[in-house]
């Protein structure tokens, strides 16, 4: 009779352990997702309006009707997604348009 009780007790403990593992795995996934979101927000806040190469404040300029940000130290010119879409639409048959409008690969 005790063997049946021992087996039942052992199975209950195994079930509790499995449920506990699933609970903590879900909590870890949620925490990782929150950290990813927070990291993405922090990077944008720190980098907003500054050159990624030298850290100087970017100056907004208009080139051929497209608003872009340019580094005053000549590190480069940066476009946001909207500006890139405007340029890609104008240059639909160029390499830039083909790159922008090519099918996206699944990650």
């Amino acid at each position: 009779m005790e063997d049946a009780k021992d087996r039942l007790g052992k199975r209950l403990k195994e079930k509790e352990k499995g449920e506990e593992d699933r609970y903590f795995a879900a909590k870890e996934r949620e925490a990782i997702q929150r950290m990813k979101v927070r990291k993405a927000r922090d990077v944008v806040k720190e980098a907003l309006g500054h050159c990624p190469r030298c850290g100087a404040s970017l100056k907004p300029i208009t080139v051929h009707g497209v608003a872009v940000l340019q580094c005053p130290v000549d590190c480069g010119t940066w476009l946001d997604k909207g500006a890139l879409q405007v340029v890609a639409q104008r240059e639909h048959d160029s390499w830039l348009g083909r790159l922008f409008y090519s099918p996206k690969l699944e990650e």
Side-chain angles (χ1 to χ4, degrees), residues 22-72:
R22 274 184 286 192
Y23 172 80
F24 283 111
K27 287 294 185 185
E28 286 177 0
R29 282 192 301 271
E30 291 170 8
I32 289 170
Q33 186 62 32
R34 283 193 307 268
M35 288 171 53
K36 286 180 181 179
V37 169
R38 190 178 313 127
K39 182 179 178 184
R41 272 191 263 141
D42 291 345
V43 169
V44 171
K45 284 180 186 176
E46 293 170 0
L48 188 61
H50 296 287
C51 177
R53 293 187 181 159
C54 70
S57 292
L58 296 172
K59 305 295 180 205
I61 62 169
T62 303
V63 179
H64 300 290
V66 178
V68 297
L69 298 172
Q70 188 173 43
C71 176

Side-chain angles (χ1 to χ4, degrees), residues 5-107:
K5 286 183 181 181
D6 288 343
R7 283 185 291 187
L8 179 62
K10 189 183 275 188
R11 291 185 101 183
L12 284 174
K13 285 183 181 181
E14 288 174 2
K15 183 178 185 276
E16 287 175 2
K17 177 72 173 143
E19 289 175 0
E20 183 178 310
D21 289 345
R22 274 184 286 192
Y23 172 80
F24 283 111
K27 287 294 185 185
E28 286 177 0
R29 282 192 301 271
E30 291 170 8
I32 289 170
Q33 186 62 32
R34 283 193 307 268
M35 288 171 53
K36 286 180 181 179
V37 169
R38 190 178 313 127
K39 182 179 178 184
R41 272 191 263 141
D42 291 345
V43 169
V44 171
K45 284 180 186 176
E46 293 170 0
L48 188 61
H50 296 287
C51 177
R53 293 187 181 159
C54 70
S57 292
L58 296 172
K59 305 295 180 205
I61 62 169
T62 303
V63 179
H64 300 290
V66 178
V68 297
L69 298 172
Q70 188 173 43
C71 176
V73 188
D74 287 334
C75 291
T77 303
W78 284 265
L79 294 86
D80 63 5
K81 186 175 181 177
L84 185 59
Q85 283 178 332
V86 170
V87 172
Q89 285 174 351
R90 287 185 191 166
E91 304 292 326
H92 201 282
D93 293 330
S94 71
W95 69 270
L96 180 63
R98 287 192 303 270
L99 175 69
F100 193 80
Y101 290 109
S102 66
K104 304 293 185 245
L105 297 176
E106 296 285 328
E107 290 186 16

